Amino acid sequence: TIEMRETAQRQRALDEQEVRLCCILGEVGVADVDGLREAFAVLQERDQRFEASLRGQEQQLEWTSQTAQHLQQQCAALEDELGHARKARWQADVKRVRVEEEHEQTQLELRRARSHIAQLEAHVLHLTDQLQSAGAIAEVASRRHAAGGAALH
């Protein structure tokens, strides 16, 4: 993988630097090359720990990036869902207002119809009274007529 190649390249670079350092130390006359090698080994080990830590942090960063992307997708989906819910609520409000207006209109028509019925009932009562009065008059007239005809015979 890429990480293994990079690690191998770093190791080669470090090995090359070690060889050069040994050459320089040999030229300068430093006798304690083993001590320097130990210090160099300690530095290499420390470098490897840092590399491992860096890989862990890169993995953490990748996970965090994926999590952030997932959360953004969820947020977008929730915003979309909220938009649909708002649209549905608006449509329901429009329909509710329309139904309320129709209900008011129906109530008005019902009041008008009841008023008209009450007027018709009053008129019917008036006509009934007139008919009863006319019937009573007709009955009296009929009795008079019958009484007048009986007197003639």
Side-chain angles (χ1 to χ4, degrees):
T1 65
I2 294 173
E3 290 179 21
M4 292 173 62
R5 256 186 302 200
E6 289 175 354
T7 303
Q9 287 174 346
R10 284 190 205 111
Q11 186 62 42
R12 279 193 297 271
L14 289 174
D15 290 344
E16 290 172 6
Q17 289 175 354
E18 182 181 7
V19 169
R20 278 189 241 130
L21 182 61
C22 287
C23 290
I24 293 171
L25 290 175
E27 290 176 9
V28 192
V30 177
D32 193 17
V33 175
D34 288 337
L36 289 174
R37 283 184 188 190
E38 287 177 18
F40 185 71
V42 168
L43 289 174
Q44 279 183 320
E45 184 180 318
R46 198 161 125 198
D47 184 53
Q48 289 173 353
R49 284 195 312 266
F50 287 143
E51 288 289 329
S53 174
L54 178 63
R55 282 191 297 276
Q57 289 174 353
E58 287 172 342
Q59 289 173 348
Q60 183 75 21
L61 177 62
E62 178 64 26
W63 179 83
T64 302
S65 297
Q66 289 176 355
T67 301
Q69 184 180 12
H70 179 68
L71 289 174
Q72 287 172 341
Q73 290 171 346
Q74 283 182 328
C75 183
L78 288 173
E79 287 174 346
D80 188 47
E81 193 174 320
L82 178 61
H84 289 301
R86 284 181 176 159
K87 182 179 179 182
R89 180 177 177 191
W90 178 80
Q91 289 172 338
D93 286 345
V94 167
K95 187 174 185 178
R96 179 185 49 79
V97 167
R98 194 175 308 129
V99 167
E100 287 174 355
E101 289 172 351
E102 289 173 1
H103 179 70
E104 289 174 11
Q105 185 64 33
T106 303
Q107 290 293 342
L108 180 62
E109 290 173 8
L110 180 62
R111 281 192 297 275
R112 286 179 185 159
R114 286 181 179 165
S115 174
H116 187 67
I117 289 171
Q119 289 173 356
L120 291 175
E121 286 174 342
H123 189 66
V124 166
L125 285 175
H126 176 71
L127 291 176
T128 303
D129 286 345
Q130 284 181 343
L131 286 175
Q132 286 175 349
S133 293
I137 292 171
E139 188 177 319
V140 168
S142 164
R143 285 185 194 164
R144 281 186 193 166
H145 181 61
L152 290 175
H153 290 278

